[in-house]
């Protein structure tokens, strides 16, 4: 490479081992910056930037050709066979040992803050509750969460500050705001669990009218911690795209919530909930599983493409559910589903089935699992936003492959 501060297009292409056209493609996708050469002929490129790109194999991200999947560098979650890790530490062990907020702080900062609690600012909470209260009675919990995020955003004049300190402050305020903006189950006016200021204790009465004991709160706390992040799921990718465009943290969360509401993502636990309820109603899994297979539908709550064996999140939650007497019936129904399906194909329980056992056993609505998922994953989306804010803006700019009529066409 030359010692010049800037390289010509040909020099950049030679250093990267690509054609000049590919160099310009990198520019159009936000993967390289360029400047017009003196005299207006061609473009020049920063030598250090080209060198950094070359060390990564010629582009900032792996190839995304036919059959390939996009990849992003991340230091948040690593999935390896039958385990997953938050910043290198076993996520299941973290979730068993520490509360949700403590695990969130570890994921955000790499530091553990024992006993940390998140607090909703009065201005944001008032705005969120007012907006949520204006929704029709049939509005879903996801409707309420999305509206609460927007209202909290409008109440925060500093939301465009993307410094790490500001984003962390936003997260510590937004997550409890989302929880406390939800109405309590059954219209109850009972105060939150006395003496317990954890997020799990605040969320529980918004999911069910059943009184929570310590074991139940610990279970919900563990579920929240297990669900904070899981690599680049669809909603997390949407959050990173928003952050790449330098959307503020509230907008990043709104992007994640929008994708999470898709029936192929966050709603999966609701499908498993309805299945378990039907198994209990009909007295066995066989007719229920048969109905799913007959109609060509997958049996919900089984299998995960990232885990050839059991989903470690499901293992952890099901083990805790075994300690709750009121969960025995739902647990038996789940085991019956797994055993019945095994006659057709060997699939293990995933986290959606474990959430369904919790929601059915605790008399929660079918959408409760999705609510738990959304609250937990909000912290993960913000962790990815913190990473993405440090990357080149608008780097996720794929090229479209036009398949329409060949131009020029006559004016319609």
């Amino acid at each position: 490479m030359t010692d010049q501060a800037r390289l010509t297009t040909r020099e950049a292409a030679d250093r990267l081992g690509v054609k000049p056209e590919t160099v310009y493609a990198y520019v159009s996708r936000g993967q390289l910056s360029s400047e017009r050469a003196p005299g207006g002929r061609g473009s020049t490129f920063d030598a250090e930037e080209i060198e950094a790109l070359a060390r990564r194999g010629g582009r900032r991200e792996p190839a995304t050709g036919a059959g390939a999947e996009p990849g992003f560098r991340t230091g948040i979650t690593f999935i390896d066979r039958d385990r997953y890790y938050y910043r290198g530490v076993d996520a299941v062990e973290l979730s068993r040992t520490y509360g949700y907020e403590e695990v969130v702080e570890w994921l955000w900062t790499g530091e553990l803050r024992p006993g940390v609690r998140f607090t909703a600012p009065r201005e944001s909470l008032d705005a969120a509750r007012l907006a949520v209260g204006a929704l029709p009675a049939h509005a879903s919990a996801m409707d309420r969460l999305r509206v609460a995020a927007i209202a909290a955003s409008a109440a925060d004049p500093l939301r465009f500050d993307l410094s790490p300190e500001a984003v962390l402050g936003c997260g510590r305020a937004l997550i409890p705001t989302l929880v406390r903006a939800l109405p309590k189950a059954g219209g109850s006016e009972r105060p939150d669990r006395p003496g317990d200021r954890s997020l799990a204790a605040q969320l529980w009465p918004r999911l069910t009218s059943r009184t929570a004991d310590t074991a139940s709160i610990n279970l919900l706390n563990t579920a929240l911690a297990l669900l904070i992040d899981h690599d680049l799921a669809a909603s997390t990718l949407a959050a990173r795209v928003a952050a790449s465009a330098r959307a503020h943290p509230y907008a990043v969360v709104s992007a994640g919530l929008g994708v999470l509401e898709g029936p192929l993502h966050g709603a999966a636990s609701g499908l498993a909930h309805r299945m378990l309820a039907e198994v209990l109603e009909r007295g066995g899994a066989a007719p229920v599983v048969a109905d799913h297979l007959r109609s060509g539908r997958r049996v919900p709550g089984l299998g995960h493409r990232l885990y050839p064996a059991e989903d470690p999140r499901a293992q952890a939650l099901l083990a805790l559910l075994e300690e709750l007497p009121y969960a025995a019936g739902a647990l038996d129904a789940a085991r019956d589903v797994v055993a019945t399906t095994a006659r057709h194909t060997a699939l293990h329980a995933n986290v959606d089935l474990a959430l369904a056992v919790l929601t059915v056993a605790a008399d929660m609505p079918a959408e409760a699992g999705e609510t738990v998922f959304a609250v937990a994953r909000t912290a993960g989306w913000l962790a990815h936003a913190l990473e993405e804010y440090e990357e080149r803006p608008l780097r996720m700019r794929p090229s479209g492959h036009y398949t329409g009529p060949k131009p020029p066409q006559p004016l319609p």
Side-chain angles (χ1 to χ4, degrees):
M1 190 171 66
T2 72
D3 293 330
Q4 295 174 329
R6 304 196 64 79
L7 307 179
T8 66
T9 302
R10 170 53 63 186
E11 288 172 330
D14 290 344
R15 179 67 189 90
L16 294 171
V18 299
K19 297 178 181 179
E21 294 84 356
T22 304
V23 175
Y24 288 114
Y26 292 160
V27 174
S28 69
R29 295 170 187 169
Q31 295 171 312
L32 280 178
S33 61
S34 67
E35 293 181 7
R36 179 64 63 182
R41 294 187 177 183
S43 299
T44 64
F45 302 87
D46 183 87
E48 292 185 358
E49 187 178 346
I50 293 294
E51 181 64 25
L53 189 54
R55 287 195 298 268
R56 300 184 185 106
R59 57 172 63 206
R60 289 182 181 268
E61 311 300 343
T64 56
E69 295 182 352
F72 299 87
R73 299 186 311 280
T74 176
I76 299 172
T77 302
F78 175 59
I79 299 175
D80 184 32
R81 292 185 294 276
D82 60 346
R83 311 305 298 170
Y84 73 115
Y85 304 84
Y86 290 158
R87 294 195 181 278
V89 179
D90 188 292
V92 172
E93 291 302 314
L94 275 170
S95 303
R96 286 172 175 163
T97 309
Y98 299 105
Y100 170 72
E101 294 100 319
E102 293 169 319
V103 179
V104 168
E105 286 289 341
W106 169 257
L107 206 64
W108 281 348
T109 68
E111 297 180 4
L112 196 65
R113 297 176 60 199
V116 65
R117 292 288 182 263
F118 296 161
T119 304
R122 176 51 56 186
E123 297 80 4
S124 296
L125 183 55
D126 287 346
R129 283 177 168 169
L130 186 64
V132 167
L135 293 174
H138 64 263
S140 69
M142 289 300 293
D143 292 330
R144 296 184 174 105
L145 289 173
R146 286 188 286 114
V147 167
I150 294 171
S153 168
D156 183 0
L158 304 179
R159 62 188 179 274
F160 294 103
D161 184 351
L162 304 186
S163 65
E165 295 77 12
V167 175
L168 290 171
C170 171
R172 294 170 184 135
L174 176 59
I175 296 174
T177 296
L178 294 179
V179 169
R180 296 186 62 192
L182 295 172
K184 292 189 175 180
S188 171
E189 296 299 328
R190 291 180 303 171
D192 294 336
R193 185 173 171 82
D196 191 342
R197 296 175 52 246
S198 69
L199 201 82
Q202 295 178 52
L203 180 58
W204 181 274
R206 290 163 172 85
L207 300 174
T208 179
S209 298
R210 174 187 283 270
T211 301
D213 54 20
T214 300
S216 298
I217 296 298
N218 289 341
L219 171 63
L220 182 56
N221 222 333
T222 301
L224 288 166
L226 289 168
L227 292 168
I228 294 171
D229 189 56
H230 204 236
D231 197 33
L232 283 166
S235 58
T236 305
L237 177 59
R240 288 200 77 129
V241 171
S244 178
R246 295 305 183 260
H248 56 70
Y250 300 92
V252 167
V253 170
S254 294
L257 288 170
V259 176
L260 185 68
E261 198 170 13
L264 300 181
H265 192 11
S269 64
L271 299 176
H273 174 108
R274 295 181 179 91
M275 177 189 65
L276 288 187
E278 186 179 359
V279 169
L280 290 170
E281 179 183 350
R282 299 176 69 174
V288 179
V289 170
D291 285 347
H292 277 81
L293 298 178
R294 185 180 301 119
S295 61
R297 292 174 290 150
R298 291 183 56 191
V299 180
L302 298 179
H304 196 291
R305 72 183 189 91
L306 296 182
Y307 298 113
E310 292 191 71
D311 184 336
R313 301 168 299 174
Q315 285 181 303
L317 290 181
L318 292 173
L320 290 175
L321 283 160
E322 290 177 354
E323 301 174 9
L324 301 178
Y326 65 80
L331 269 172
D332 288 341
R335 294 189 185 104
D336 196 5
V337 168
V338 173
T340 301
T341 309
R343 304 173 195 169
H344 173 72
T345 181
L347 292 174
H348 299 283
N350 62 31
V351 72
D352 297 314
L353 188 63
L355 281 176
V357 173
L358 166 62
T359 57
V360 169
D363 301 320
M364 297 178 183
E367 66 177 7
E370 186 175 7
T371 304
V372 174
F373 201 113
V375 170
R377 192 56 58 90
T378 295
W381 295 330
L382 292 175
H384 281 271
L386 284 163
E387 280 195 337
E388 193 60 41
Y389 289 147
E390 298 298 319
E391 296 283 355
R392 177 177 299 283
L394 294 173
R395 67 194 181 111
M396 288 174 250
R397 177 61 171 85
S399 297
H401 298 282
Y402 178 72
T403 60
K406 185 177 180 179
Q409 295 288 315
L411 185 69

